[in-house]
Amino acid sequence: MSAGSFDFASLLAPGLPPPAPKWAAFPPYNFVGGHNDADQLPVDRLTAAANAVLTREGATLANYGLASGPLGYRPLRDFLVAKLGRDAGISCTADEILVTSGSLQAIDLVNGALLARGDTVVIEQETYGGCLTRFARLGVNTVGIPLDQGGIRMDALAAALDDLKRRGVRAKYIYTIPTVQNPTGTIMGEERRRELLRLADQHAVPVFEDDCYADLIWDGRRPPALYAMREGRGVIHIGSFSKSVAPALRVGYIVARWDILSRMQALKTDAGSGALEQMVLAEFCATHFSEHVPKLRRALRVKLETLMDALAEQFGTAAEFDDPKGGIFLWVKLPDAVDTQKLYQPALAAGVAINPGPEWSTDKSYGKSRMRLCFANPSQDTIRAGIAALADVCRREFGVPERIANVEQRARA
Ligand SMILES: Cc1ncc(COP(=O)(O)O)c(C=O)c1O
């Protein structure tokens, strides 16, 4: 048999996702994914942290799980106990934290512990695309709840939970990104959090809180975590260092009470997440996290303003958006004539990558003329040039924005 001729097709497991496309290179104007700001990456300090921790404890790499056991590197969990207490009001012990390979693994472990084909979950109508693809693959039904500027709408949530009850369906969880929502950038206020927890209690449905953007609020002030407001009862909380330090490190975590955390730990069959990145992060975070994050936030805010200015200049009134409360994304509404899934390919051909709205929404028609733009990674010049290129493609493909609208907009400004 010659090399490369073996036919796996007839052997593939059923239900596989389509084959992955081969990665070539990032497009010149890359507004997709959740990449971070390379200029803010604290490379020197991470290098020093790596040197220090390896010199001191490098020999523990001889053991699976270092000397910390399967929940993850103990000093990193100790840092999280202090940080979550200070910032999110969470009171937990190091044994209620499981370090994961990114918060995507945390999502997989939560889903692994709770979801079976045919189950139903309640989620925000606009939500993280990585969860939507997982639900589709797992054969799980989703009930999308519309958002407003304060996060999930409680009237709609109450109605959806009542409707499920009438149909004899108990949702497996309510998944929410309450603190700088992806993609809308909203923050759920404390009152609404209380109401959400009340409804969850009333229907005996747990809450799955994904807080990975909570460090990136412009003014640094956040409401208490849902987990904190229930001392963990009926709430699973996940977080990540991807947005606050670096996504390529692949370090996230789950905070949960032991009765359910122990079920997720049992599903984590990878013999531990990468130890070196946990050690380096713990060493770095102990002394530098609290000064690094505000600096990163300031840099992200500058980029967001550049993006909003560029959209106003190139699209005029044809691009509508709310100024997000933090994070790395802008959720943009284009005129109804624009189908962002049809825009995707011609935009890419012009070097511009966007996330089409339907991939970020349970309501595909609502998402149709919307798109998500990540502004963290491109430089300010790249943002300006990329938005100009995108406006050209939109004009060519969909006739919007009309040039005259922009001129009028700028004259008014
Ligand atoms: C809401 C949300 N949750 C989880 C993730 C996964 O992040 P990571 O696995 O890098 O921690 C992302 C990434 O963009 C996200 O937006």
Side-chain angles (χ1 to χ4, degrees), residues 354-396:
I354 58 158
N355 284 126
E359 293 169 17
W360 255 254
S361 183
T362 59
D363 181 340
K364 304 303 173 201
S365 62
Y366 181 87
K368 176 178 159 264
S369 57
R370 290 175 163 82
M371 63 179 170
R372 192 191 73 160
L373 300 175
C374 176
F375 51 81
N377 193 249
S379 69
Q380 286 174 268
D381 284 346
T382 304
I383 290 172
R384 286 190 207 96
I387 295 304
L390 184 64
D392 276 343
V393 177
C394 282
R395 222 172 267 128
R396 195 178 66 226

Side-chain angles (χ1 to χ4, degrees), residues 33-34 101-105 107 128 131 175 177 182 210 212-213 238-243 247 250-252 328-329 360 372:
S101 302
S103 55
L104 276 171
Q105 188 183 42
I107 291 170
Y128 174 41
C131 281
Y175 171 72
I177 313 164
N182 178 5
D210 185 343
C212 68
Y213 297 100
I238 67 168
S240 177
F241 288 94
S242 290
K243 319 300 169 180
R250 309 307 304 132
V251 180
I328 56 177
F329 303 117
W360 255 254
R372 192 191 73 160

Side-chain angles (χ1 to χ4, degrees), residues 47-119:
T47 309
N51 271 326
V53 74
L54 278 176
T55 304
R56 199 178 62 238
E57 301 172 28
T60 58
L61 284 165
N63 303 317
Y64 284 101
L66 305 162
S68 291
L71 287 175
Y73 183 52
R74 178 66 192 241
L76 186 62
R77 289 185 286 131
D78 287 340
F79 166 76
L80 284 168
V81 168
K83 175 210 178 308
L84 292 168
R86 186 184 61 236
D87 297 345
I90 289 177
S91 163
C92 66
T93 68
D95 289 341
E96 290 166 324
I97 298 178
L98 172 62
V99 177
T100 55
S101 302
S103 55
L104 276 171
Q105 188 183 42
I107 291 170
D108 286 334
L109 294 174
V110 174
N111 288 347
L114 294 176
L115 300 185
R117 190 161 287 276
D119 277 346

